[in-house]
Amino acid sequence: MFENAFGVISRIAGPFITAKYMSKARMFELVKIGKERIIGEIIRVDGDLAVIQAYEDTEGIKLGERVFLTGESLSVECGPGLIGQIFDGIQRPLTVIADKTGPFIKRGEEAPPLDRKKKWYFKPKVKKGSKIIGGDIIGTVDETSLIEHKVLAPPGLKGTLKSICTEGDYSVTDLIAEVQTAEGTEKLFLMHKWPVRQPRPYNRMLHPSTPLLTGQRVIDALFPVAKGGIAVISGGFGTGKTVLLQTLAVWSTADVVVYVGCGERGNEMADVLERFQKLKAPHSDQPLMDRTIIISNVSNMPIIAREASIYTGITLAEYYRDMGYDVAVMLDSTSRWAEALREISGRLEEMPGEEGYPAYLASRLAEFYARAGHVQTLGGEERYGSITVLASISPPGGDFSEPVTINTLRLAKVFWALDPGLAYRRHYPAINWFMSYSEYLPVLEPWFRNVAEDWQILCGDARNLLKEEEELREIVALIGAEILGDKQRCVFEAAKMLKECFLVQNAFHPVDAYCPIYKTHKILRLLLDFYKKAKIAVDSGVPLIRILSLPVREKLGRLKIAPMENFDEVYSNISKEMNEQIEKLISEIRQGSTP
Ligand SMILES: Nc1ncnc2c1ncn2[C@@H]1O[C@H](COP(=O)(O)OP(=O)(O)O)[C@@H](O)[C@H]1O
Ligand SMILES: [Mg+2]
């Protein structure tokens, strides 16, 4: 980075530094502060004065020290070597120390995000003389076992290929190609830089039409999210937001996952890393980290640095989207980001909006979430990619009417409301089925109908059962349980089975953690089938208690932990036993009642 001008520190207030002689500074320009060259960003320019937010601890920095302008905005390096890495909020690679005290980096340390020494085997895909526009694939590199890295012409480029290197080993800074443009010659490398606050352009935005499958039954069946969509997880402390996001990072059907941890608990990110490093990617024998990028704020970075990590994360996601991948971005938790905005705004003495958040909270969130979506990418060749954002919010006291939840829900089409009552009963994922919703159900219907004709009917029946149970519950609360007949009790029992055998899913169980869509459908079908048959039996006069003590019920309960290898066999056995056992009860009653 070129240090082209400097100012002098006139005030230090925690992570906020004011410097004078800064008339040349631009908003959001990156600066280096003091002897240690700590990184900061300009957040206000006022004549000769500039306010800077430091991305590192400012302890020991003195008045009168210099602030250097860099002429650059906060940018990320886009190129091979991102996948499998763990970065801090401003894309510094973190070395993870073994004793689990968490990711660690020295103050003012400058390590390039992408390894300058590593050689990548590059295969060119274009020929000298061909026309090149931004987004075109210049060539490929096998980045990991799962990701073929498409080396892209940077957005905005237009010209004719003057030269291209031969197939072989290159580092990210070796010259790969030269493009003759109207202005001159543009050099291309395996990497290019992109400013994080500027969305990467695409050709056009499309409507989402396929689900991002999560392997979580309650989500895939009742509240699915589409690839390119936004889903919000909101819930108080300990309701399972982090576990759910991590589970989705592990199991969802994205090509690339960017996991951003604005951790609420110190060592959480070290745990994530340890867990992810041991796991395999879904449907493959390859390491999970071969499709994952982790961004983590380290403990010695000020709270405000959380803002940068959100932007760094989404920019890297856009870069892989532009290659034609489906990317999922997990943000845990966006409340910490909103708090950073509140703190910055407070320091700048701006007029506060609701609950002290800046008045521009809503527009800042909207700008950010607009970067999610299903798009046709830049480039001459037709290519599609998507970014699905899955964001957690931790509302104080679990109150969903607070500004961050309200403003985010305006932008998201999926809401997974976590319920402390369910979490307390260890019903995980604690997704409340009355408060949660997915507005993608209609657009995803054709996709799910392809999985199974009766998909929509079954999901509708499941919802109705839960609703019916709730209505009965209200009646019972008013009049008491004594008035219930076997018919109504049957609703309670069926709803209980639906919860225990289907909605509850243990994220730490080797089989249950992930439920393929095929299995989700089959379990739901069998449970609802049991309910239907039980109703017929009750109508025929079979006492409910006898249905509840059928041996097949226990087997139904264990269906979710049946491994896929022999699932079909287990399924048809249970189905057969169920029919036989219930029919036997009915025929016994009929025989008993015949004179
Ligand atoms: N799907 C799940 N399966 C099993 N246990 C879970 C699940 N979700 C949450 N838990 C339990 O709840 C605890 C708190 O969850 P966590 O995700 O850390 O909450 P939050 O991030 O909302 O504060 C976890 O440590 C775990 O014991
Ligand atoms: Mg958490």
Side-chain angles (χ1 to χ4, degrees):
M1 251 178 266
F2 179 58
E3 296 171 345
N4 53 3
F6 59 82
V8 174
I9 298 176
S10 57
R11 183 163 182 256
I12 303 168
F16 297 93
I17 285 178
T18 308
K20 50 190 179 182
Y21 316 126
M22 295 287 279
S23 56
K24 287 210 182 85
R26 285 180 300 113
M27 267 303 274
F28 296 122
E29 182 169 351
L30 216 58
V31 296
K32 300 287 182 78
I33 308 157
K35 285 198 255 333
E36 287 180 86
R37 300 290 194 273
I38 283 172
I39 296 169
E41 200 180 10
I42 308 260
I43 52 170
R44 173 181 278 176
V45 189
D46 204 351
D48 200 31
L49 289 181
V51 182
I52 300 153
Q53 61 177 3
Y55 281 123
E56 293 173 86
D57 190 358
T58 54
E59 212 185 291
I61 293 183
K62 292 186 195 68
L63 295 179
E65 280 194 61
R66 287 171 178 185
V67 172
F68 301 91
L69 292 174
T70 65
E72 290 181 16
S73 331
L74 185 60
S75 299
V76 286
E77 291 185 359
C78 299
L82 293 167
I83 306 267
Q85 282 296 330
I86 168 162
F87 296 108
D88 76 359
I90 51 173
Q91 213 201 6
R92 286 177 302 184
L94 296 176
T95 35
V96 181
I97 47 173
D99 68 1
K100 288 208 288 178
T101 52
F104 175 75
I105 193 160
K106 273 216 314 271
R107 196 164 78 153
E109 190 158 57
E110 241 186 278
L114 295 174
D115 190 340
R116 295 295 189 263
K117 294 202 188 81
K118 188 170 166 73
K119 299 274 184 188
W120 299 94
Y121 193 79
F122 174 76
K123 288 176 242 166
K125 286 278 179 304
V126 284
K127 292 206 165 63
K128 195 175 152 179
S130 47
K131 298 267 178 263
I132 297 288
I133 56 167
D136 280 347
I137 296 171
I138 303 297
T140 60
V141 157
D142 286 330
E143 184 172 5
T144 66
S145 66
L146 296 168
I147 298 298
E148 181 184 67
H149 194 106
K150 317 275 173 30
V151 179
L152 300 175
L157 186 80
K158 193 170 177 215
T160 310
L161 199 67
K162 225 167 102 178
S163 72
I164 176 101
C165 64
T166 52
E167 185 170 325
D169 286 322
Y170 299 92
S171 75
V172 288
T173 46
D174 288 338
L175 184 68
I176 293 300
E178 283 177 307
V179 176
Q180 185 65 51
T181 68
E183 291 83 37
T185 304
E186 189 93 19
K187 290 182 163 63
L188 301 189
F189 305 89
L190 288 183
M191 61 162 262
H192 63 260
K193 280 192 152 194
W194 191 264
V196 297
R197 291 184 192 273
Q198 189 179 331
R200 287 176 67 92
Y202 49 82
N203 255 335
R204 64 192 173 112
M205 183 71 86
L206 302 149
H207 288 295
S209 56
T210 43
L212 180 83
L213 295 180
T214 63
Q216 307 306 300
R217 289 182 293 268
V218 57
I219 293 177
D220 292 342
L222 300 184
F223 310 109
V225 60
K227 280 180 179 167
I230 303 162
V232 168
I233 305 170
S234 192
F237 184 79
T239 49
K241 298 179 295 297
T242 301
V243 172
L244 184 57
L245 274 183
Q246 286 181 17
T247 307
L248 300 184
V250 174
W251 294 114
S252 63
T253 50
D255 300 313
V256 174
V257 167
V258 181
Y259 191 97
V260 183
C262 287
E264 290 163 277
R265 274 163 263 184
N267 284 345
E268 222 162 52
M269 289 313 288
D271 294 343
V272 173
L273 194 65
E274 198 183 275
R275 183 159 169 239
F276 284 15
Q277 276 172 336
K278 284 189 203 137
L279 290 167
K280 295 254 189 281
H283 312 297
S284 96
D285 231 2
Q286 306 302 334
L288 180 66
M289 285 306 289
D290 276 8
R291 71 158 193 185
T292 311
I293 302 171
I294 294 180
I295 296 168
S296 160
N297 287 305
V298 284
S299 46
N300 61 356
M301 287 180 89
I303 298 165
I304 49 161
R306 288 165 181 171
E307 227 224 320
S309 62
I310 299 271
Y311 287 95
T312 295
I314 198 88
T315 309
L316 296 182
E318 285 173 340
Y319 178 56
Y320 282 91
R321 171 204 68 189
D322 290 349
M323 293 180 208
Y325 288 119
D326 290 319
V327 186
V329 181
M330 281 78 185
L331 308 173
D332 188 24
S333 131
T334 58
S335 294
R336 304 291 158 256
W337 165 33
E339 280 160 18
L341 287 178
R342 178 162 66 186
E343 187 167 337
I344 295 166
S345 173
R347 295 290 184 128
L348 295 177
E349 290 167 9
E350 292 167 344
M351 175 96 83
E354 247 182 303
E355 292 186 23
Y357 289 106
Y360 50 78
L361 175 73
S363 61
R364 193 63 71 85
L365 289 172
E367 270 164 33
F368 175 80
Y369 283 103
R371 296 173 76 167
H374 175 210
V375 306
Q376 182 184 351
T377 66
L378 286 188
E381 154 205 90
E382 202 173 298
R383 204 163 60 231
Y384 300 90
S386 68
I387 296 181
T388 313
V389 176
L390 309 171
S392 77
I393 300 177
S394 7
D399 166 21
F400 296 152
S401 65
E402 56 90 41
V404 184
T405 306
I406 295 273
N407 284 306
T408 313
L409 284 184
R410 286 204 184 107
L411 311 163
K413 284 195 180 338
V414 181
F415 181 37
W416 299 319
L418 299 191
D419 180 339
L422 290 176
Y424 180 76
R425 294 199 290 277
R426 302 205 64 75
H427 175 126
Y428 291 115
I431 295 179
N432 179 299
W433 44 88
F434 295 123
M435 298 176 83
S436 305
Y437 56 79
S438 165
E439 289 172 18
Y440 290 117
L441 288 171
V443 294
L444 296 179
E445 211 230 284
W447 194 95
F448 281 112
R449 202 175 336 111
N450 248 332
V451 175
E453 264 307 317
D454 59 351
W455 178 270
Q456 220 69 357
I457 297 170
L458 292 179
C459 297
D461 287 352
R463 279 173 222 281
N464 288 338
L465 175 58
L466 293 166
K467 207 155 86 210
E468 221 180 319
E469 186 218 13
E470 185 61 19
E471 283 161 8
L472 275 180
R473 208 175 273 285
E474 281 164 20
I475 296 174
V476 167
L478 284 175
I479 324 183
E482 304 77 40
I483 56 125
L484 294 183
D486 268 6
K487 235 174 153 161
Q488 286 96 18
R489 280 182 212 275
C490 188
V491 173
F492 273 109
E493 292 300 332
K496 192 167 160 220
M497 280 173 77
L498 181 67
K499 291 178 211 165
E500 286 171 6
C501 313
F502 185 78
L503 297 180
V504 167
Q505 191 167 350
N506 184 348
F508 304 106
H509 187 281
V511 176
D512 199 27
Y514 172 70
C515 194
I517 199 77
Y518 176 81
K519 188 174 167 184
T520 294
H521 167 249
K522 285 281 162 78
I523 301 177
L524 188 59
R525 183 148 87 183
L526 212 50
L527 283 168
L528 290 169
D529 215 24
F530 183 86
Y531 174 43
K532 218 181 284 166
K533 301 231 158 78
K535 265 200 297 200
I536 295 173
V538 167
D539 281 342
S540 320
V542 178
L544 183 63
I545 185 90
R546 295 203 57 194
I547 303 170
L548 296 181
S549 40
L550 286 178
V552 74
R553 239 167 57 95
E554 201 202 319
K555 289 195 181 170
L556 254 174
R558 286 203 311 263
L559 188 57
K560 64 179 181 183
I561 52 168
M564 277 314 280
E565 291 84 74
N566 61 346
F567 179 78
D568 282 333
E569 198 190 322
V570 175
Y571 173 84
S572 46
N573 283 342
I574 297 180
S575 174
K576 203 163 131 248
E577 282 174 41
M578 181 176 88
N579 288 330
E580 284 168 3
Q581 291 175 10
I582 296 185
E583 255 148 48
K584 189 155 164 268
L585 286 182
I586 296 177
S587 70
E588 276 169 14
I589 282 289
R590 289 213 176 114
Q591 275 158 11
S593 63
T594 42

